[in-house]
Amino acid sequence: MARSFTIEETGFPDAPGMMLATVKALKEMGGSASIAELDEKVVEIEGVSEEEQSFEMVNNPGTPRLNYYLAWARTYLKRGSALENSSRGVWALTPIGSSIETYEQTQKIYDQVVEEEKERARLKRLAKSGKANSDTIALQLELPSDTSPNSADEAEADWEDKLLSVLRKMDPSAFERLAQRLLRESGFTKVEVRGKVGDGGIDGVGVLRVNLVSFQVYFQCKRYTGGVSAGEIRDFRGAMQGRADKGLFITTGHYTAQANEEATRDGATAIDLIDGRRLCELLKSNSLGVSTEMVESVTIDPSWFESV
């Protein structure tokens, strides 16, 4: 079956093709999916290679080009009323989306959104020049304004990108000690950093107690910017074979869809994966080098004072 799109190291992919692949993936998944589930399904049905998944945005290292442009594909489809998304990050087909079967249909939505943006830009120029009348300004306000993918997550992605930049500059041994501290804060005991040459890439080991049962967990941590492949997961599993109950792979990068599948392959020792975004969340929740500030909002009720 012919691919709907391709991802290259530079240049823009076929947006309508990615939109069509997104619709196809959602249909195969029953009409709704989380972003991670949806991206993995697109990889599966389109046969996207691990090399394609490893390509990153030039101006935003650490962000896979595939996932970035799939986010834009969802945005275009939402603007065309073909998709909707909930506050929990679940995307679903609308009746319009369910009716999409061809490339021409997604091309039409794409062209519609592009024209809306051109019109918005023209109206903004008029408003800036002082030549816009009230009708022009009203039309500008009526045009859809959600022009960025996952706009609700932009603020969160900003601090995560800054933190990942710091983590990737750490000395390898310091990063291993950070992983050790994080595991201890998360309830592990007897956490040791090994990192010996010839130890098959195993960086450390710890014990996790769950109720009455304890598990020995080997971990590996890598300061990557790209994607961790299925081969690297297999190599890690081979190194820990017969030595641990579970494995934990921590990276500042991301995992390919094939790596995710390999980590949970039937009949093999399970390996849990923590990517860069998840690592940031864990550091924040454990207050390890990350602090949060709650802003107080004060509301005054004048009518309350009148009744005193």
Side-chain angles (χ1 to χ4, degrees):
M1 184 178 67
R3 291 268 304 266
S4 299
F5 67 90
T6 57
I7 290 287
E8 298 177 342
E9 198 162 4
T10 58
F12 295 100
D14 184 350
M18 298 191 85
M19 292 161 65
L20 182 59
T22 298
V23 171
K24 288 179 179 178
L26 278 169
K27 286 183 177 181
E28 287 198 20
M29 301 180 74
S32 66
S34 66
I35 292 174
E37 291 173 326
L38 182 52
D39 286 356
E40 286 195 13
K41 192 64 176 179
V42 169
V43 168
E44 176 189 330
I45 65 176
E46 291 292 321
V48 182
S49 69
E50 289 194 290
E51 181 184 16
E52 289 176 286
Q53 294 173 64
S54 69
F55 295 147
E56 298 182 344
M57 299 301 295
V58 176
N59 59 349
N60 191 7
T63 300
R65 292 175 63 81
L66 173 68
N67 303 90
Y68 178 82
Y69 286 114
L70 282 176
W72 272 110
R74 291 191 296 272
T75 297
Y76 280 117
L77 288 165
K78 181 179 178 181
R79 288 278 299 272
S81 300
L83 289 188
E84 59 185 10
N85 64 310
S86 69
S87 59
R88 293 181 177 274
V90 174
W91 289 76
L93 290 169
T94 66
I96 291 177
S98 297
S99 69
I100 292 176
E101 298 286 348
T102 66
Y103 181 92
E104 288 71 26
Q105 289 172 290
T106 52
Q107 179 72 61
K108 184 177 180 180
I109 292 176
Y110 176 79
D111 292 341
Q112 169 197 324
V113 175
V114 169
E115 287 304 313
E116 286 176 353
E117 287 308 307
K118 287 181 180 178
E119 180 64 9
R120 176 175 286 279
R122 185 183 71 83
L123 296 176
K124 281 185 177 179
R125 289 195 298 270
L126 285 175
K128 190 173 182 179
S129 66
K131 297 179 181 179
N133 55 33
S134 58
D135 291 338
T136 300
I137 294 174
L139 179 58
Q140 179 183 347
L141 293 174
E142 289 174 4
L143 286 173
S145 59
D146 181 14
T147 59
S148 59
N150 303 335
S151 55
D153 299 328
E154 285 181 347
E156 179 137 351
D158 184 55
W159 74 262
E160 289 178 347
D161 288 339
K162 291 178 181 177
L163 177 55
L164 287 172
S165 177
V166 172
L167 294 175
R168 287 169 182 146
K169 294 176 183 176
M170 292 180 69
D171 180 80
S173 60
F175 187 63
E176 289 172 359
R177 291 194 299 273
L178 175 63
Q180 179 185 40
R181 172 70 184 278
L182 177 59
L183 293 184
R184 283 176 172 151
E185 296 287 352
S186 302
F188 282 72
T189 60
K190 300 181 181 179
V191 185
E192 299 177 13
V193 170
R194 296 183 175 179
K196 300 175 184 176
V197 176
D199 202 20
I202 292 174
D203 293 320
V205 60
V207 175
L208 177 63
R209 180 179 293 277
V210 181
N211 296 324
L212 301 178
V213 182
S214 295
F215 298 94
Q216 189 172 48
V217 180
Y218 275 42
F219 65 89
Q220 184 175 112
C221 42
K222 298 293 183 184
R223 297 170 304 118
Y224 281 8
T225 56
V228 176
S229 69
E232 290 169 284
I233 300 299
R234 282 192 292 271
D235 290 343
F236 176 46
R237 179 181 282 120
M240 56 176 273
Q241 198 70 40
R243 304 165 67 183
D245 303 299
K246 287 182 67 67
L248 181 64
F249 202 118
I250 305 170
T251 181
T252 53
H254 65 278
Y255 298 95
T256 65
Q258 291 87 342
N260 280 294
E261 291 177 3
E262 178 61 33
T264 56
R265 179 165 53 84
D266 288 344
T269 304
I271 297 176
D272 289 310
L273 307 180
I274 297 177
D275 64 9
R277 302 297 175 187
R278 176 62 178 150
L279 177 58
C280 288
E281 286 294 337
L282 289 170
L283 292 173
K284 184 179 77 167
S285 63
N286 287 282
S287 299
L288 296 177
V290 183
S291 59
T292 56
E293 179 182 349
M294 302 300 291
V295 179
E296 183 181 30
S297 178
V298 179
T299 302
I300 298 173
D301 181 8
S303 63
W304 184 91
F305 294 93
E306 296 173 359
S307 61
V308 174

